[in-house]
Amino acid sequence: MSEPTSRFLRACRGLDVDATPVWFMRQAGRSLPEFRALRDKWAFFDVVRSAELTAEVTMQPVRRLGVDAAILFSDIVVPLMAIGVEVEMRPGVGPVFPEPFRTEADLARLRPLEPLDAPYVTDAVKVLVAELDVPLIGFAGAPFTVASYLVEGGPSRTYTRTKALMYGEPDLFRRLLFALADLAVSSLRGQIGAGAAAVQLFDSWAGALAPDDYRTHVLPATRRVFEGLADLDVPRIHYGLGTGLLLGDIAASGADVVGLDFHVHLDEARDVVGGLAVQGNLDPSVCLAPWDVVAGRVDDVLARAGGRPGHVFNLGHGVLPETDPAILRRVVERVHGGR
Ligand code: 1CP
């Protein structure tokens, strides 16, 4: 393995850096006026299915905020759409599946993802790698989080049907999660093959589970995703919200970097994940406060990281749409050592 030169990739590897690298989950999106202007003209999936529009939206936050990494603009449901599962993106709601996953017969709808199913993704990655001067992060949804949308039929607060399936039909649940793991592996391998320099697996809603259930019913499929990438030399980041009690298990998932949400103190969480690098973990809503409050909280995260190698600064979840991008820019500058 050759030593990377970019701050972001060096921090993912636990190597020393000239300044702490920073990027923001959901850095492309509603907080940017240029994103809103583009979305006034194009539907969400029109953007996703166009390599040119995807590349443009992916680069918007890199230009405006000065972040150390770009993340491909797409969505965790795109591989399902690419294999022919019907999905709608409802404004103000999120992804909706008109025909949710209900029975064993629905497994037949989850055929393998072939490279030609989503050429717009790999084309966008190639355009971006040629144009960006920071690394591009590819991503996929983790099996549990994608299953929650597919089983519930859309966003949920309680994950009732998903948990009912997990407890009531554990074997079918396992087969569903392993099918989604294979989908994530194919999608991530395609993105890495096209030039993505790191990948993040979003298990955003894993925090809905008790540790024993996570370990028994979810962790094996998540491990399968990381095992499926083990021969590729790119850092693998795992992120989930509300995962404070799951961090020990997540650290054993095969990830190289553990994304921390804002419910945990970074220094304490680091003790739990052993030698792995960490990413996080400013509360996104802090960015709606006056600058002196934001600055204090940024400094607190940095103090808890203590200048030790292996920290990528990020939010503890995605940028809120109400966020002023000028504040995000100032956060980047402060993390890099400015005031
Ligand atoms: O119309 C719009 O523009 C809708 C807003 C939006 C955006 C900007 C959606 C719908 N998806 C995205 C892009 C997106 N989604 C990215 C790339 C942008 C970036 O990070 O800069 C990524 C990485 C995702 C991944 C994603 N989609 C996750 C995991 C990350 C997280 O925030 O936890 C999840 C849970 C989704 C589902 C989803 N897609 C969109 C929405 C509004 C949601 C959440 C719905 C819910 O609350 O359950």
Side-chain angles (χ1 to χ4, degrees):
M1 185 198 350
S2 60
E3 268 208 7
T5 52
S6 89
R7 281 180 191 142
F8 166 71
L9 294 173
R10 291 185 66 82
C12 288
R13 301 271 190 219
L15 300 170
D16 58 281
V17 285
D18 61 339
T20 300
V22 47
W23 67 280
F24 302 111
M25 290 187 280
R26 296 241 180 129
Q27 61 191 15
R30 299 251 157 223
S31 69
L32 301 184
E34 56 272 37
F35 176 83
R36 293 197 297 269
L38 193 135
R39 283 282 283 106
D40 284 345
K41 279 195 255 163
W42 303 96
F44 184 85
F45 286 128
D46 289 342
V47 180
V48 164
R49 278 188 296 241
S50 155
E52 288 70 28
L53 293 175
T54 294
E56 168 58 21
V57 171
T58 301
M59 285 188 290
Q60 285 175 349
V62 180
R63 289 189 200 114
R64 188 190 269 264
L65 307 176
V67 284
D68 296 294
I71 181 158
L72 181 72
F73 185 83
S74 189
D75 199 81
I76 59 171
V77 297
V78 167
L80 284 168
M81 178 179 78
I83 60 166
V85 178
E86 196 187 332
V87 53
E88 297 163 14
M89 191 57 81
R90 295 239 175 106
V93 178
V96 169
F97 291 93
E99 292 177 53
F101 184 97
R102 286 286 181 267
T103 67
E104 189 171 352
D106 292 317
L107 283 173
R109 291 156 62 200
L110 303 179
R111 67 158 175 87
L113 179 73
E114 309 291 346
L116 288 179
D117 287 326
Y120 41 85
V121 172
T122 40
D123 287 350
V125 171
K126 287 178 195 159
V127 170
L128 282 160
V129 170
E131 297 211 8
L132 285 165
D133 49 18
V134 294
L136 178 70
I137 305 170
F139 76 91
F144 174 75
T145 290
V146 176
S148 79
Y149 288 97
L150 198 54
V151 174
E152 304 291 335
S156 169
R157 278 175 190 277
T158 53
Y159 312 98
T160 318
R161 281 180 177 273
T162 314
K163 289 186 179 186
L165 185 69
M166 182 180 86
Y167 291 124
E169 296 184 74
D171 186 57
L172 178 58
F173 184 77
R174 192 185 59 82
R175 290 165 72 197
L176 168 60
L177 261 61
F178 274 85
L180 295 174
D182 290 343
L183 204 57
V185 169
S186 302
S187 173
L188 292 171
R189 291 189 75 90
Q191 295 172 58
I192 296 165
V199 291
Q200 178 155 320
L201 190 67
F202 283 96
D203 209 353
S204 300
W205 313 135
L209 297 171
D212 289 351
D213 291 326
Y214 176 79
R215 198 172 304 139
T216 305
H217 298 287
V218 172
L219 184 58
T222 298
R223 291 184 75 107
R224 163 98 139 231
V225 177
F226 290 129
E227 279 162 13
L229 308 173
D231 59 319
L232 303 175
D233 186 23
V234 302
R236 295 159 298 172
I237 310 168
H238 181 289
Y239 170 79
L241 177 68
T243 49
L245 297 175
L246 308 179
L247 289 176
D249 290 304
I250 288 171
S253 67
D256 306 294
V257 183
V258 178
L260 304 174
D261 80 353
F262 49 86
H263 298 106
V264 295
H265 287 316
L266 190 139
D267 48 343
E268 292 165 12
R270 224 173 186 184
D271 291 339
V272 180
V273 303
L276 297 184
V278 292
Q279 176 175 279
N281 71 341
L282 183 71
D283 187 334
S285 54
V286 163
C287 296
L288 307 180
W291 172 248
D292 55 333
V293 177
V294 183
R297 291 306 187 100
V298 170
D299 291 352
D300 181 59
V301 171
L302 292 171
R304 289 181 185 280
R308 272 172 55 197
H311 175 224
V312 175
F313 192 100
N314 204 312
L315 302 177
H317 197 194
V319 173
L320 295 166
E322 304 86 343
T323 309
D324 176 357
I327 293 283
L328 296 177
R329 167 110 214 162
R330 289 184 76 174
V331 170
V332 171
E333 284 162 4
R334 197 165 182 98
V335 172
H336 286 165
R339 290 285 104 179

